[in-house]
Amino acid sequence: MTIHTTATATSALAQDLAAHTGRFTDKSFDWNAFPSNAGFDDLARAQMRYIGAGGSPKVGDTTTLKPDHFTLSLIHKEPGKYAACHSHEIEESFLIIDGVLVVGWEKDGEVVEVKLGAKDMILNAREIGHGFRNDGVTPVLMSISVDVGKPLPPVYHYHPKEHPAELARSFGAAPGKTLPFDRNGSHPLQKLMAQYVVRHNELPTIWERAGFTRKVYVGEGGIEHDTCRKEMLGIPSRVGIKPIVRDVEDAYLVLEGSLTVGWEDNGETVEVELGPRDLVKTPAGRRHWFRNNSAAHATVWSVIGSAEADGIVYEAA
């Protein structure tokens, strides 16, 4: 199936698609996104907001897309920096794009730490203290999604404002109280974290009959939870799908390559091409599709605003 763009660049549909597109080159990293970090150089990190504000209080940013069931932003963390241990009332996922990140979970003064590499993810559990640290020599770039449109402010457990810097940096663990991540570990916190860490290379690859692959991070086949589905799509050159419709919003963030996303409304169609770090959020009820028009493979991070399977069958375009 070949879909031809029929909308003009000034049509209402084209303007709506443009308004739901976040361009990496149109955005800037905000080094003051988290006021609680002010005055603490070791906590420095920058946020680029695409959907909602995430854990930042900057909910009035007019350059970001309105959130429904989830937020999505990029976080840049320099070597040697860390984020103080805190918790949320809802799940929050970290997907590593570049670099290696140490994530620590704390409970009762004990901490379990896991190292995450490119395309690995952790879904931070509700009310569990967690922090992260860049112990490497290269910056970390990651995508953070909070699984609610407007999360409550984070609750800090070990912040250098109130605790010794050494304790804050270790996420609240005194010497000898840090355990490594171990899927077969006997400590309750190791067992809990094992349910929330996703290794890209351990996930099964699902080949859709439309000719692309899916790796399910959160949802049936991955971490089964009650908030949002999260998947990594691998889309070969010249592969695309026929239009689909969801009852909730979804978002496509291109990690590698390029992707063309199209919308349809009352017989009118419009498309936009995305490059690396570009995003399109499609509202609930909108007919849409994607296609890789480039000669290179595309890798795409997909977030869907419901945990429930929607029964969509992907058909080749």
Side-chain angles (χ1 to χ4, degrees):
M1 176 183 178
T2 301
I3 297 177
H4 300 283
T5 302
T6 60
T8 66
T10 57
S11 74
L13 184 62
Q15 291 179 15
D16 197 22
L17 177 55
H20 284 79
T21 301
R23 293 283 188 193
F24 179 70
T25 52
D26 290 340
K27 293 182 171 291
S28 299
F29 278 103
D30 181 0
W31 285 95
N32 299 305
F34 305 96
S36 60
N37 294 345
F40 299 93
D41 183 63
D42 284 348
L43 299 181
R45 66 183 184 270
Q47 181 194 43
M48 180 178 286
R49 294 178 286 277
Y50 285 81
I51 302 173
S56 170
K58 295 193 175 180
V59 296
D61 182 357
T62 58
T63 68
T64 189
L65 302 176
K66 179 181 178 297
D68 295 309
H69 294 95
F70 59 86
T71 72
L72 191 149
S73 61
L74 297 183
I75 294 291
H76 173 94
K77 197 75 171 177
E78 291 286 337
K81 310 299 184 181
Y82 73 97
C85 184
H86 62 281
S87 61
H88 301 278
E89 85 285 5
I90 194 69
E91 284 77 18
E92 175 188 48
S93 64
F94 299 163
L95 173 76
I96 310 306
I97 298 174
D98 294 314
V100 176
L101 188 74
V102 175
V103 178
W105 282 16
E106 182 273 339
K107 189 170 183 178
D108 300 328
E110 295 182 299
V111 171
V112 173
E113 291 187 350
V114 61
K115 286 186 177 181
L116 303 175
K119 299 180 182 175
D120 292 342
M121 190 206 80
I122 186 168
L123 184 68
N124 291 297
R126 302 178 186 186
E127 310 297 349
I128 291 292
H130 60 277
F132 54 89
R133 189 175 64 241
N134 183 354
D135 287 345
V137 296
T138 60
V140 167
L141 181 67
M142 63 178 171
S143 172
I144 291 185
S145 291
V146 181
D147 291 345
V148 66
K150 294 182 179 180
L152 297 174
V155 176
Y156 282 94
H157 299 221
Y158 293 92
H159 194 284
K161 185 182 297 185
E162 300 171 342
H163 296 86
E166 296 78 8
L167 189 64
R169 186 176 181 83
S170 66
F171 315 124
K177 293 294 185 178
T178 299
L179 296 171
F181 173 69
D182 184 351
R183 290 198 187 277
N184 299 312
S186 60
H187 191 281
L189 202 54
Q190 287 177 317
K191 293 181 177 180
L192 180 64
M193 182 182 273
Q195 302 174 42
Y196 289 86
V197 170
V198 177
R199 299 289 191 194
H200 178 267
N201 60 5
E202 295 176 357
L203 285 176
T205 300
I206 302 168
W207 273 98
E208 293 291 339
R209 65 186 186 186
F212 70 97
T213 64
R214 291 190 303 124
K215 284 180 177 281
V216 180
Y217 284 64
V218 184
E220 186 176 356
I223 300 171
E224 296 196 20
H225 227 278
D226 61 354
T227 51
C228 298
R229 302 208 305 282
K230 298 174 186 182
E231 303 177 351
M232 188 82 73
L233 310 181
I235 308 168
S237 173
R238 300 185 181 182
V239 168
I241 63 169
K242 292 182 178 180
I244 60 173
V245 180
R246 300 191 194 277
D247 293 334
V248 295
E249 83 280 17
D250 65 27
Y252 299 134
L253 173 68
V254 176
L255 302 182
E256 300 162 345
S258 67
L259 187 74
T260 296
V261 177
W263 284 11
E264 180 182 348
D265 183 42
N266 293 323
E268 184 181 36
T269 62
V270 64
E271 294 182 339
V272 63
E273 184 172 351
L274 308 176
R277 316 290 192 261
D278 291 344
L279 172 146
V280 162
K281 175 195 169 192
T282 299
R286 171 73 69 198
R287 283 172 60 84
H288 62 291
W289 63 90
F290 61 74
R291 184 176 65 254
N292 181 0
N293 287 334
S294 74
H297 182 90
T299 303
V300 179
W301 181 239
S302 171
V303 183
I304 302 166
S306 172
E308 297 180 6
D310 48 29
I312 286 177
V313 177
Y314 297 103
E315 298 183 10

